[in-house]
Amino acid sequence: MTDYFHKFIIGANYWPRNYGVDMWKKWNKEEIKNEFMEAKSLGLDVMRINLLWEDFQPQPDIISEDAIKKFDELIEICHDVDIKIVPTFFVGHMSGENFDVNWRNGKSIYNDSFMLRHEVKLVGFFAEKYKNEDAILFWDLSNEPDNYVKTESRHDAWLWNYILSNEIKKYDKNHLVTLGIHQASLLSDNKFYPEDLREGNDFLCMHAYPIYTDTCIDPVNSIRSTYIAPFASKLTKALGGKDVLFEEFGATTLMMSEEIEGKYYKTVLYSLFANESLGAIAWCFGDFTVGNKLPYNTTPFETHFGITAFDGRPKPSGLQIKAFSEFINKIEYDELIPKSCDAAIIVPDKYYNALFVGDDYTPERNFRILLNSFILAKEAGLDVEMVKASDIDFNRYKMLILPSAYRKGHLTHDQWMRIVDYVKSGGTLYASYDGIAVERFDEVFGIETQYSMVPKDNTASIYIEDRKIKLNYSTLKFNKHLIAKPTTCSVIGYDNERNPAVVINKFGKGNAVFVTYPIELYLSYMPDVYKDDKTYEIYKLAKEISNINPKIEAGSPFVEVKEFKYKGKELVIFINHEDVDVKIDANISGRVKDIISNKEFDLENFVIKADEAVAFLM
């Protein structure tokens, strides 16, 4: 399924339980070996290892012989236990605190020639010494470097990443190189852009946690929380143009029960697999006993992110990883061919910033609309890709989704005209309004624009009469909706003032569906809304007129379905993203065995339990 690895990578980030970030200063080979054996017993393929910079390069011209000796002992452990590692350089940030090298003296690690010279020395040393070491899975340049040192420009971030990646590749032709970026690269303009990193990195990485973003305001084992990781993986791929390994995800059992955390883990693991990530590496392997030491003393919740407890007991999250690993090992990964997506969500052309736009146009806004559009598409039974309008052939898709489209930054004139041609030639376009104003817009949607205005009330309602549903949204202070007259369109939904709110128009050989409110943006601010919300019915309507007819559907908005071709058969995965049991109304019948649990299911009375996943070979 991938050119990078021969299986879906399953791993954990690692610091020793009893030492944390003092791993290299208080080296205990036997304890580390025992913990690696515990990891192996849970089915982990790899441990991500942080090379705390101050331990490995205590002076600019000195690479610590003592630290290298310990690293060599770690390699021995890998061979004894049969597990791999991901060494991560220039670790200055860890778990909410920074650990600076004492010789930096405020210099930028990204563009200062003195710093770059000595950083090149460190990675070059490792690449040359360990180029033939098969215990190393790949190299990671750093851990969330923007949390450690801010970069002045995206060009500095590009330069740093490009120079260090190519220094490694100069010596080492055997190992791939990446950089451990995090959701701040999707939620803010932190200058680490996936499209810049692709030039140096062989594949991209992402770290994301629902508990660390205000874009997720729901229980951790509910639909929005469990889709954040697969969504962030697909968005990173769209922005960067390369496949993505999910290098950090997880939660702390100081904020939730172990049972709830385990349910979150199970759903995320299977959904990352279904959404074609390269792998999943948990944060982190063990709970820490060193809560009185930095960084944990100032971020005490960080001590309980482990998939194992203080005493080595696997927590439910660890047991879910073990079960998932057993499932993955039943599959010949290279034989899997994922079913291609029929629909695509368009990522704003200027994702990070645009000139002369409102203060509300931010990466967080774009993340919000795209995440909630992704969820609505999944609820409607659509398997979707995220695509940038600037570099994609739309004709491979039956349906395009343009959520909460902004007046500037979302699309260029040329990109919009390509979409117009796409619809005219037979494609279906769904769009919702957040200020978009382009030529031929009225013609495509069969309306006559009158004006836009902020809703008068704190709530907006949309009535879709033929489906007998009423949709309610909390409005936002500055986001307008469009007042339009119908011309050639059919009005299928009205707001509470009887203005057209949802219209369908035949345009050329294709169809266009338009919502006059920024509904994806509204939903992003509404807590736990997806338990009852029916907005996905609008996406479903657009799917129906697109003639997208999946062979297998769940019949429930909570259940994600992914199909793979596999050795002349179909591997189908059903993933329940909500904490409720769901009766599956699939257009299939008969009795079939679940590959995950080895239980047999009668597909005519098929119930998937809360937060569960099942996989059938059909």
Side-chain angles (χ1 to χ4, degrees):
M1 195 167 90
T2 171
D3 296 329
Y4 302 93
F5 308 111
H6 294 295
K7 68 168 290 191
F8 185 92
I9 300 303
I10 305 168
N13 287 266
Y14 180 74
W15 290 111
R17 285 191 196 99
N18 294 322
Y19 304 101
V21 300
D22 287 336
M23 171 179 175
W24 304 104
K25 294 179 181 73
K26 298 180 179 179
W27 182 253
N28 190 320
K29 183 179 178 182
E30 286 308 308
E31 279 193 30
I32 291 169
K33 185 173 182 177
N34 287 338
E35 290 180 4
F36 271 45
M37 290 169 68
E38 290 172 17
K40 183 70 178 178
S41 73
L42 291 177
L44 273 64
D45 307 310
V46 64
M47 301 285 257
R48 182 174 175 235
I49 302 296
N50 291 284
L51 308 180
L52 200 66
W53 197 359
E54 64 179 25
D55 291 332
F56 281 83
Q57 201 170 17
Q59 293 299 323
D61 56 349
I62 295 174
I63 296 171
S64 169
E65 290 182 11
D66 179 60
I68 296 301
K69 180 186 174 189
K70 293 167 182 173
F71 186 80
D72 287 337
E73 291 184 2
L74 186 68
I75 295 288
E76 288 175 24
I77 291 171
C78 290
H79 289 296
D80 290 346
V81 176
D82 187 26
I83 200 168
K84 294 185 185 295
I85 56 171
V86 173
T88 302
F89 298 108
F90 308 114
V91 175
H93 172 78
M94 186 51 53
S95 297
E97 288 287 345
N98 286 336
F99 300 83
D100 209 351
V101 285
N102 61 14
W103 46 269
R104 184 168 74 87
N105 297 320
K107 296 182 179 73
S108 171
I109 66 173
Y110 307 112
N111 65 13
D112 182 89
S113 55
F114 173 83
M115 294 302 298
L116 281 170
R117 179 173 186 170
H118 296 292
E119 291 168 65
V120 162
K121 178 178 180 177
L122 183 65
V123 297
F125 172 86
F126 270 85
E128 188 170 22
K129 180 173 172 63
Y130 299 103
K131 60 181 178 288
N132 295 316
E133 180 50 68
D134 60 9
I136 293 170
L137 184 61
F138 58 86
W139 300 107
D140 185 342
L141 294 178
S142 188
N143 178 61
E144 302 174 6
D146 62 294
N147 278 339
Y148 169 39
V149 178
K150 301 298 180 191
T151 179
E152 296 170 19
S153 78
R154 64 181 290 193
H155 308 298
D156 288 348
W158 171 86
L159 174 75
W160 178 78
N161 181 75
Y162 190 78
I163 286 174
L164 295 179
S165 294
N166 281 282
E167 181 68 13
I168 290 174
K169 293 172 185 179
K170 183 169 79 177
Y171 299 104
D172 185 350
K173 311 298 182 189
N174 300 318
H175 299 107
L176 304 176
V177 183
T178 192
L179 170 64
I181 61 171
H182 59 140
Q183 62 196 28
S185 284
L186 304 177
L187 287 162
S188 65
D189 186 3
N190 72 344
K191 312 304 179 189
F192 280 88
Y193 295 2
E195 66 189 84
D196 294 342
L197 302 180
R198 65 172 292 175
E199 294 188 53
N201 298 162
D202 295 296
F203 60 92
L204 300 173
C205 280
M206 181 47 59
H207 309 166
Y209 301 83
I211 61 174
Y212 286 158
T213 171
D214 292 338
T215 63
C216 186
I217 44 182
D218 302 338
V220 75
N221 63 323
S222 62
I223 196 165
R224 186 151 37 197
S225 299
T226 54
Y227 269 129
I228 276 186
F231 160 75
S233 180
K234 282 205 162 180
L235 177 57
T236 304
K237 183 176 180 177
L239 291 169
K242 284 192 171 177
D243 285 340
V244 176
L245 174 74
F246 224 80
E247 195 182 52
E248 285 188 27
F249 75 102
T252 171
T253 49
L254 290 177
M255 293 183 182
M256 65 201 66
S257 72
E258 288 189 3
E259 180 191 8
I260 294 295
E261 187 202 40
K263 290 179 176 183
Y264 159 79
Y265 258 84
K266 180 166 192 172
T267 310
V268 171
L269 285 165
Y270 285 95
S271 193
L272 282 170
F273 175 71
N275 286 281
E276 300 170 51
S277 296
L278 297 173
I281 301 181
W283 186 276
C284 57
F285 172 68
D287 287 349
F288 296 115
T289 63
V290 285
N292 61 328
K293 301 286 182 66
L294 288 177
Y296 315 110
N297 194 37
T298 57
T299 52
F301 49 87
E302 286 276 354
T303 58
H304 280 63
F305 269 85
I307 59 170
T308 60
F310 294 146
D311 58 1
R313 169 185 62 86
K315 291 157 77 173
S317 53
L319 296 175
Q320 292 296 351
I321 285 181
K322 182 177 182 180
F324 178 73
S325 175
E326 290 168 355
F327 161 72
I328 291 293
N329 289 331
K330 293 174 185 175
I331 300 166
E332 291 181 40
Y333 191 66
D334 289 337
E335 296 287 327
L336 280 176
I337 303 170
K339 182 179 180 293
S340 57
C341 296
D342 290 320
I345 300 170
I346 296 174
V347 176
D349 182 65
K350 300 287 186 183
Y351 181 86
Y352 291 98
N353 48 59
L355 291 172
F356 310 115
V357 294
D359 292 340
D360 59 331
Y361 189 88
T362 63
E364 182 186 316
R365 174 225 177 252
N366 292 327
F367 186 95
R368 284 178 176 278
I369 63 166
L370 294 169
L371 168 62
N372 288 275
S373 180
F374 182 80
I375 293 167
L376 292 171
K378 290 285 188 178
E379 286 190 307
L382 288 162
D383 192 14
V384 286
E385 287 182 345
M386 317 289 294
V387 299
K388 288 183 75 175
S390 54
D391 53 16
I392 204 73
D393 174 15
F394 296 140
N395 293 321
R396 76 179 81 167
Y397 304 108
K398 293 182 177 179
M399 178 179 167
L400 294 180
I401 299 169
L402 186 63
S404 301
Y406 205 75
R407 64 182 183 270
K408 188 175 187 286
H410 211 124
L411 290 171
T412 65
H413 173 86
D414 292 345
Q415 290 162 1
W416 168 249
M417 287 305 169
R418 285 176 51 223
I419 293 172
V420 172
D421 289 342
Y422 162 85
V423 180
K424 199 171 186 178
S425 299
T428 295
L429 171 65
Y430 161 91
S432 57
Y433 183 80
D434 193 22
I436 186 170
V438 283
E439 287 181 30
R440 302 189 71 185
F441 188 84
D442 285 7
E443 183 185 357
V444 170
F445 291 107
I447 58 174
E448 183 183 299
T449 291
Q450 301 300 295
Y451 55 88
S452 60
M453 63 177 288
V454 173
K456 298 173 185 176
D457 300 321
N458 294 328
T459 59
S461 298
I462 295 176
Y463 305 86
I464 301 178
E465 291 169 353
D466 69 336
R467 301 210 169 200
K468 295 183 172 60
I469 57 174
K470 179 184 178 183
L471 309 172
N472 296 305
Y473 306 98
S474 299
T475 60
L476 297 168
K477 190 174 181 182
F478 298 111
N479 296 85
K480 299 177 180 179
H481 69 109
L482 189 70
I483 306 297
K485 288 181 180 178
T487 54
T488 59
C489 69
S490 299
V491 180
I492 64 158
Y494 293 90
D495 67 16
N496 35 350
E497 296 185 352
R498 294 301 292 174
N499 294 309
V502 185
V503 304
I504 298 178
N505 190 49
K506 185 75 180 170
F507 180 74
K509 296 179 181 177
N511 296 283
V513 178
F514 179 56
V515 180
T516 60
Y517 289 81
I519 54 176
E520 295 82 8
L521 192 59
Y522 287 169
L523 288 168
S524 79
Y525 288 97
M526 296 167 65
D528 210 21
V529 66
Y530 288 106
K531 279 263 173 62
D532 303 305
D533 177 71
K534 304 286 187 191
T535 300
Y536 68 88
E537 290 283 359
I538 303 175
Y539 278 55
K540 203 170 178 181
L541 184 118
K543 169 191 166 189
E544 289 164 5
I545 61 175
S546 304
N547 291 317
I548 296 174
N549 300 301
K551 190 186 300 182
I552 298 171
E553 293 193 82
S556 165
F558 302 149
V559 179
E560 179 180 20
V561 180
K562 181 67 179 183
E563 298 175 48
F564 298 86
K565 290 182 180 176
Y566 183 65
K567 294 185 168 185
K569 295 185 178 181
E570 295 274 327
L571 177 69
V572 186
I573 299 178
F574 294 83
I575 307 159
N576 188 351
H577 282 262
E578 271 293 353
D579 195 25
V580 293
D581 295 354
V582 175
K583 172 86 164 61
I584 298 298
D585 185 20
N587 49 343
I588 46 177
S589 59
R591 299 188 71 83
V592 65
K593 183 178 280 190
D594 172 23
I595 300 172
I596 297 169
S597 66
N598 290 321
K599 294 177 183 173
E600 198 170 76
F601 281 81
D602 176 1
L603 295 178
E604 292 184 20
N605 296 288
F606 174 20
V607 174
I608 181 167
K609 293 194 177 298
D611 307 294
E612 278 290 343
V614 296
F616 303 135
L617 197 57
M618 310 183 77

